[in-house]
């Protein structure tokens, strides 16, 4: 890397322990967080190639994503927010467009879409609404025109 720092971390008994910072080739921060006994743990922040915050969340003592995680668009606006349990998406998730409008809202169970999901146009109007079971479409689905008028019922 020709003089640029790639990683700063402390080792204890051959394992990563303490604050860790890794850097991209351009010298900008790539990620920052805490290691304990060679596992990521606690709060972590990940950055994109421009050095802007891309993702923020927590890891449990087994290096698995847990709790609330947020992802951000390149413009810094919130892209998604939802829960992880043992590295798998669970519970309600919200996805957003770069203009802050809600893109989709629904639930995950063991990493698969489940129950009712609603999708929206960038203008905020409902685009589709329907259900999932174990990641597969089920039941009635309704699609709407961008002006809000019902288009199709499947």
């Amino acid at each position: 890397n020709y003089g640029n720092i790639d990683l700063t971390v402390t080792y204890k008994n051959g394992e990563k322990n303490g604050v860790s910072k890794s850097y991209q080739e351009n010298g900008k921060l790539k990620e920052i967080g805490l290691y304990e006994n060679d596992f990521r743990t606690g709060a972590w922040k990940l950055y994109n190639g421009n050095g802007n915050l891309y993702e923020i969340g927590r890891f449990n003592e087994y290096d698995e994503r847990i709790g609330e995680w947020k992802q951000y668009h390149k413009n810094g606006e919130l892209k998604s927010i939802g829960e992880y349990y043992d590295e798998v998406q669970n519970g309600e998730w919200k996805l957003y467009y770069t203009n802050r409008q809600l893109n989709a809202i629904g639930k995950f169970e063991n990493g698969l879409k489940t129950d009712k999901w609603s999708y929206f146009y960038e203008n905020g109007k409902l685009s589709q609404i329907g259900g999932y079971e174990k990641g597969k479409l089920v039941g009635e689905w309704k699609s709407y025109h961008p002006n809000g008028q019902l288009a199709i019922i499947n």
Side-chain angles (χ1 to χ4, degrees), residues 70-121:
K70 295 178 182 178
Q71 285 187 333
Y72 296 89
H73 289 284
K74 288 181 181 179
N75 70 355
E77 295 296 336
L78 185 63
K79 183 178 184 178
S80 67
I81 183 170
E83 298 279 328
Y84 277 91
Y85 180 75
D86 292 341
E87 195 68 26
V88 178
Q89 290 171 302
N90 274 292
E92 183 178 86
W93 276 76
K94 293 179 181 177
L95 292 78
Y96 296 91
Y97 290 107
T98 56
N99 67 0
R100 299 183 185 173
Q101 283 288 341
L102 186 62
N103 178 325
I105 184 170
K107 291 183 182 178
F108 281 92
E109 187 175 315
N110 296 319
L112 300 173
K113 288 181 179 178
T114 190
D115 295 334
K116 182 177 101 175
W117 274 75
S118 299
Y119 296 89
F120 301 88
Y121 290 105

Side-chain angles (χ1 to χ4, degrees), residues 2-140:
Y2 307 106
N4 289 341
I5 297 174
D6 283 338
L7 175 69
T8 60
V9 66
T10 302
Y11 285 86
K12 182 179 176 185
N13 298 322
E15 295 180 335
K16 294 176 190 168
N17 277 281
V19 175
S20 170
K21 293 181 183 178
S22 66
Y23 298 87
Q24 302 174 55
E25 281 189 38
N26 63 11
K28 296 190 184 241
L29 192 59
K30 182 178 181 181
E31 60 184 22
I32 183 169
L34 185 67
Y35 274 97
E36 191 173 308
N37 300 321
D38 231 18
F39 291 109
R40 291 178 292 186
T41 188
W44 276 75
K45 292 181 180 178
L46 294 79
Y47 299 85
N48 65 22
N50 297 328
N52 297 326
L53 185 62
Y54 168 70
E55 198 169 21
I56 186 169
R58 302 183 62 78
F59 288 92
N60 65 16
E61 64 272 17
Y62 305 109
D63 202 1
E64 298 169 331
R65 291 171 189 248
I66 58 164
E68 182 179 273
W69 276 78
K70 295 178 182 178
Q71 285 187 333
Y72 296 89
H73 289 284
K74 288 181 181 179
N75 70 355
E77 295 296 336
L78 185 63
K79 183 178 184 178
S80 67
I81 183 170
E83 298 279 328
Y84 277 91
Y85 180 75
D86 292 341
E87 195 68 26
V88 178
Q89 290 171 302
N90 274 292
E92 183 178 86
W93 276 76
K94 293 179 181 177
L95 292 78
Y96 296 91
Y97 290 107
T98 56
N99 67 0
R100 299 183 185 173
Q101 283 288 341
L102 186 62
N103 178 325
I105 184 170
K107 291 183 182 178
F108 281 92
E109 187 175 315
N110 296 319
L112 300 173
K113 288 181 179 178
T114 190
D115 295 334
K116 182 177 101 175
W117 274 75
S118 299
Y119 296 89
F120 301 88
Y121 290 105
E122 281 192 68
N123 67 8
K125 300 255 186 208
L126 186 63
S127 165
Q128 285 187 313
I129 189 167
Y132 287 91
E133 189 175 307
K134 296 183 180 177
K136 297 186 182 197
L137 301 174
V138 295
E140 181 178 271

